[in-house]
Amino acid sequence: MEYCVFTEPQQGASYDDQLAFAQAAERLGFDGFFRSDHYLRMGAGDPSPGPTDAWTTLAGLARETSRIRLGTLVSSVTYRQPGILAIQVAQVDAMSHGRAELGLGTGWFEREHRAYGIPFPAKRFGLLEEQLEIVTGLWGTAADATFSFSGEHYELVDAPPLPRPVQERVPVIVGGAGPRRTPELAARFATEFNIGFQPEAMIAEKFAGVRAACERLGRDPGSLKLSVALPTLAGASESELERRAANIGRTVDDVRGDTNIVGGRDEIVAKVQRLAALGAQRVYLQLLDLQDVEQVEFLGTEVLPRLPR
């Protein structure tokens, strides 16, 4: 089992806030620091200090950390041309000495696209499929060859497969609750399938669906890592939980239930044990308050040592 801190910087966080989280996560023994790839705050609240670009941030963190995995959960296909994305991720991989991971999805936040003038086509699944083909194709092309692609949305002609990632295969994360196309894309292109923000029964169903997709395509289901991403609220006492919930505009009752990871050490350990029994091999702990490094400290010192490995 692997455990990653997962953040939402568009809710109000500077690069320095993210750096403090990533360095704390590394020091405390977490396996990864991941961030969303968004440019606009969701919901009410002060939008300051404004957005930070995901891959620019990860490039900085690559030079200011030494062990922890770094990636997006997930980048939207609407933000970057796939050839440029392949270069950006490969460069972060080199800057981190082989610690980059790419989560890629269709995108969904239309208002964000309108705010910054980013095209938001109604149908985006074809973009995702072609971007996965291009990014993995570029990385998999021999150094002395070129890569070409002709699809409905993109065309590349004799692209040099440079810069080269350090990793032989950069991990690619594909996720979502779609019943057919998402599992098949994960089975074709991904090293990891992720399901987020779902109750345990749905997690079990989606894991079964992607395993079946692997079998249909002749892939060993055991070669695909399974992961979950869940909102997390942690604290040593009920008063700590109430304070942390208030800081993100919620109540403890709002976030407790079958989906989220909420509570003290023992509650969180029990929840993660159930996720592991469903087949999860990596858990992303989504923390929404990036000024609350103490929550990372609590998770790292009180909870992480007691979680299954």
Side-chain angles (χ1 to χ4, degrees), residues 146-161:
T146 59
F147 177 81
S148 296
F149 178 87
S150 181
E152 181 181 350
H153 305 284
Y154 304 105
E155 183 172 3
L156 282 72
V157 179
D158 296 334

Side-chain angles (χ1 to χ4, degrees), residues 74-78 102-108 124 127-128 131-132 173-175:
V74 295
S75 290
S76 171
V77 295
T78 56
L102 170 64
L104 194 60
T106 59
W108 61 272
R124 301 178 302 283
L127 297 175
L128 176 58
Q131 288 211 10
L132 287 166
I173 306 161
V174 172

Side-chain angles (χ1 to χ4, degrees), residues 44-105:
D46 185 350
S48 298
T52 53
D53 178 78
W55 286 101
T56 303
T57 296
L58 294 171
L61 296 178
R63 307 304 292 176
E64 299 197 76
T65 58
S66 61
R67 177 192 58 81
I68 203 163
R69 307 292 298 178
L70 300 168
T72 52
L73 204 67
V74 295
S75 290
S76 171
V77 295
T78 56
Y79 294 159
R80 302 168 186 91
Q81 292 292 310
I84 301 303
L85 178 63
I87 291 168
Q88 289 176 312
V89 178
Q91 188 172 4
V92 172
D93 197 52
M95 293 169 73
S96 66
H97 305 291
R99 293 182 286 126
E101 304 193 13
L102 170 64
L104 194 60

Side-chain angles (χ1 to χ4, degrees), residues 265-284:
R265 180 193 67 195
D266 293 344
E267 286 178 272
I268 295 174
V269 170
K271 172 71 172 180
V272 172
Q273 288 173 336
R274 293 196 300 274
L275 295 171
L278 295 175
Q281 298 160 291
R282 175 183 272 186
V283 177
Y284 296 90

Side-chain angles (χ1 to χ4, degrees), residues 74-301:
V74 295
S75 290
S76 171
V77 295
T78 56
Y79 294 159
R80 302 168 186 91
Q81 292 292 310
I84 301 303
L85 178 63
I87 291 168
Q88 289 176 312
V89 178
Q91 188 172 4
V92 172
D93 197 52
M95 293 169 73
S96 66
H97 305 291
R99 293 182 286 126
E101 304 193 13
L102 170 64
L104 194 60
T106 59
W108 61 272
F109 194 15
E110 184 176 5
R111 186 162 65 88
E112 167 181 70
H113 290 72
R114 292 201 308 268
Y116 289 100
I118 304 168
F120 189 72
K123 295 183 179 180
R124 301 178 302 283
F125 218 93
L127 297 175
L128 176 58
E129 182 173 9
E130 291 190 17
Q131 288 211 10
L132 287 166
E133 290 191 55
I134 291 166
V135 170
T136 58
L138 277 165
W139 291 338
T141 297
D144 59 353
T146 59
F147 177 81
S148 296
F149 178 87
S150 181
E152 181 181 350
H153 305 284
Y154 304 105
E155 183 172 3
L156 282 72
V157 179
D158 296 334
L162 299 170
R164 308 292 292 177
V166 171
Q167 298 175 89
E168 183 175 345
R169 184 176 185 185
V170 175
V172 173
I173 306 161
V174 172
R180 182 180 61 84
R181 296 184 71 183
T182 298
E184 289 185 358
L185 282 186
R188 288 174 59 195
F189 297 108
T191 58
E192 177 180 331
F193 172 77
N194 176 264
I195 182 70
F197 319 116
Q198 297 294 335
E200 291 168 26
M202 181 64 73
I203 290 170
E205 177 184 320
K206 297 307 174 185
F207 282 176
V210 78
R211 289 191 192 102
C214 287
E215 291 172 352
R216 286 194 301 272
L217 296 174
R219 176 176 179 176
D220 175 10
S223 68
L224 183 66
K225 184 183 294 184
L226 302 177
S227 67
V228 294
L230 298 174
T232 300
L233 192 73
S237 65
E238 196 67 20
S239 62
E240 267 190 18
L241 292 173
E242 290 170 354
R243 174 177 58 81
R244 289 194 164 117
N247 286 344
I248 58 172
R250 310 291 294 278
T251 69
V252 177
D253 288 342
D254 289 336
V255 295
R256 271 209 164 102
D258 184 39
T259 298
N260 301 336
I261 297 173
V262 178
R265 180 193 67 195
D266 293 344
E267 286 178 272
I268 295 174
V269 170
K271 172 71 172 180
V272 172
Q273 288 173 336
R274 293 196 300 274
L275 295 171
L278 295 175
Q281 298 160 291
R282 175 183 272 186
V283 177
Y284 296 90
L285 304 166
Q286 185 201 43
L287 302 176
L288 295 178
D289 185 355
L290 270 90
Q291 285 72 49
D292 188 4
V293 180
E294 290 77 13
Q295 186 169 201
V296 182
E297 295 277 352
F298 173 77
L299 286 163
T301 57

